[in-house]
Every structure is written in structure tokens, then in C-alpha cells.
Amino acid sequence: MTDSKALPVILFGKLPSVTTPQIEALLPEIDVIRLITSLPSTRIELPSLLSLSHQPKPTITHPSSGKGSNTARSPSQQKRAMVVIVGGGFSEEEFEELEGVG
């Protein structure tokens, strides 16, 4: 369970062997509300997550990775990200593409 005062973040990480323990290590100060693991998923999920509307579109409330604390919350209780963290597994070109999506 995450602390209600934890900073909600979106984590981009390619390697499950790294991201899974990383999510746990960030608690309780940082709450990874969504894990995104690929550029195709980013193109689908990120625009709605960063939109000005209060809730993500219902069609993507569940992350493609299946990970993130928002998966355990009803749509009305889901947190909005305050920060985006990008792991080191992305190349410079992929990082630039991530910037372009957001």
C-alpha cells in the first residue's frame, strides 16, 4: 500500500528485472502510479495521462505493463502523475521520441 503523501510518478523502464525492484525501492516517498515499458505503449498511454482532463480515458485506465499503483484504484480514485521518470535503458533517440510524445 502506498502512502497518500507519496509523490505520484510515471516510470518508463524497459527491463522488468530492474523496474520491479525499483518500484518497491521508491516507496514510501514515491508512488509509481504507472509503469510504461515501450515506445508503442507510450504513444497510446502518455497523451491521455498528461492531458488537462481530470481522468485518463477509460480505454487506457489499465497500463499495458499491468504495473502501477493506479491499477488497484477505481477510476475516480486514481492519482495523477506529478513527475515522469525515465530509466537508463532507453537510447538517446528513444528518449527524444518520448519527449515528443509528451
Side-chain angles (χ1 to χ4, degrees):
M1 192 57 135
T2 59
D3 184 327
S4 63
K5 295 180 183 181
L7 179 67
V9 304
I10 297 170
L11 174 63
F12 288 95
K14 283 184 161 182
L15 307 170
S17 62
V18 174
T19 56
T20 300
Q22 202 171 43
I23 290 170
E24 292 298 319
L26 292 170
L27 290 170
E29 294 87 6
I30 297 174
D31 175 12
V32 177
I33 61 167
R34 182 171 301 240
L35 171 64
I36 300 178
T37 58
S38 70
L39 287 173
S41 296
T42 301
R43 290 184 203 106
I44 295 167
E45 297 178 39
L46 192 60
S48 117
L49 292 169
L50 297 179
S51 76
L52 296 177
S53 69
H54 181 65
Q55 293 295 330
K57 295 176 185 172
T59 55
I60 61 161
T61 53
H62 191 75
S64 59
S65 68
K67 294 188 178 181
S69 65
N70 272 353
T71 61
R73 297 182 178 103
S74 68
S76 65
Q77 298 297 313
Q78 290 185 359
K79 295 181 178 180
R80 294 187 51 79
M82 302 298 289
V83 175
V84 175
I85 299 172
V86 180
F90 289 93
S91 68
E92 186 174 332
E93 292 81 19
E94 290 171 317
F95 182 78
E96 289 172 6
E97 188 170 342
L98 286 171
E99 284 183 312
V101 173

